[in-house]
Amino acid sequence: MAEARRTIDLLWFEEPAHRRGRKKGLTVTQVVDAAIALADEEGLDAVSMRRVAQELGVVPMTLYTYVPDKAALLDLMLDAVYLRMPREDTAHASWRERLAAVAEDNRVLYSRHPWAAGVAQSRPPLGPGLMAKYEHELRAFDGSGLDDVETDSALTYLLGFVRASARAAAEARAEAERSRRSDHEWWAENGPLLAKVFDPESYPTAVRVGGAAGAELGGAFNPDHAYVFGLERVLDGLGVLIERRGSDRRR
């Protein structure tokens, strides 16, 4: 409980610059920014209290006077990037345009900070960044006719799709970096072998569909196409629910 209270205090009220005794040389914001920069550059696995302390030029124990542990640091990192997200005014747009804007804002967030898509969010940091983000995104459903629980569930559904898309895109980029080959280069290299394996008589549908998709998309997986196609289907699905609620009101 003490650690949870400490994290909440850090999320909402950064400690004053002066305490009894020796003056502190850093701020919590500096610690969080260093951790974010490290995660952006090397991934979440690189973030540890020891490594962040090294980046800041202090001994590891010093870091614990600012942040109690790595779990709290991750909460602060995630809330910081949430707080810095742009929040475009889309009040006069249609609900579909507003939700597409919410999705795109989150996609940009994960593009800038890929590690954020990998942080467990079953217990999100209840800081000012999250609350501002949540308030802004809920307002995208204004006038949709959904009740409060449906609105929260619909937002969770939308953001879950964006997060999954971001993770798939990150995995595709990581695989390309490991192999040092693009999807196009990989398929060009392995095409002759795959042509022997994918017998059109044994797998006629797979060969036909896979060939058409590969030719159109330039590989087995195109993250941008998958995102655009998937988002349209998510919005279509939510549109059915919104239309149903509108029909219920007209009865």
Side-chain angles (χ1 to χ4, degrees), residues 79-100:
D79 201 69
V81 297
Y82 284 166
L83 192 60
R84 297 165 188 171
M85 289 178 69
R87 310 194 200 284
E88 181 183 355
D89 182 8
T90 58
H92 300 294
S94 67
W95 69 263
R96 193 178 182 104
E97 291 170 330
R98 294 198 299 269
L99 296 189

Side-chain angles (χ1 to χ4, degrees), residues 21-78:
R22 185 178 178 182
K23 181 180 178 179
K24 304 184 77 173
L26 296 172
T27 65
V28 174
T29 298
Q30 288 174 312
V31 173
V32 172
D33 285 347
I36 291 173
L38 181 59
D40 289 347
E41 182 67 24
E42 301 183 29
L44 202 58
D45 290 342
V47 178
S48 67
M49 299 294 278
R50 179 177 296 277
R51 180 65 190 282
V52 174
Q54 180 183 339
E55 294 293 313
L56 290 166
V58 299
V59 297
M61 288 307 298
T62 299
L63 215 60
Y64 289 95
T65 66
Y66 298 91
V67 180
D69 52 32
K70 181 178 176 179
L73 180 58
L74 292 179
D75 281 348
L76 292 166
M77 291 165 60
L78 197 59

Side-chain angles (χ1 to χ4, degrees), residues 85-167:
M85 289 178 69
R87 310 194 200 284
E88 181 183 355
D89 182 8
T90 58
H92 300 294
S94 67
W95 69 263
R96 193 178 182 104
E97 291 170 330
R98 294 198 299 269
L99 296 189
V102 166
E104 184 60 23
D105 287 345
N106 281 271
R107 190 188 188 203
V108 170
L109 171 75
Y110 293 134
S111 176
R112 294 174 178 171
H113 308 288
W115 55 269
V119 177
Q121 299 186 22
S122 58
R123 295 182 180 180
L126 299 178
L130 174 68
M131 295 309 297
K133 180 177 185 292
Y134 187 48
E135 175 72 18
H136 173 74
E137 292 172 348
L138 288 174
R139 288 185 178 276
F141 291 87
D142 285 352
S144 67
L146 302 183
D147 64 30
D148 289 348
V149 175
E150 288 173 332
T151 297
D152 179 79
S153 298
L155 178 59
T156 299
Y157 177 51
L158 176 66
L159 298 185
F161 161 74
V162 179
R163 188 162 56 249
S165 295
R167 295 181 70 169

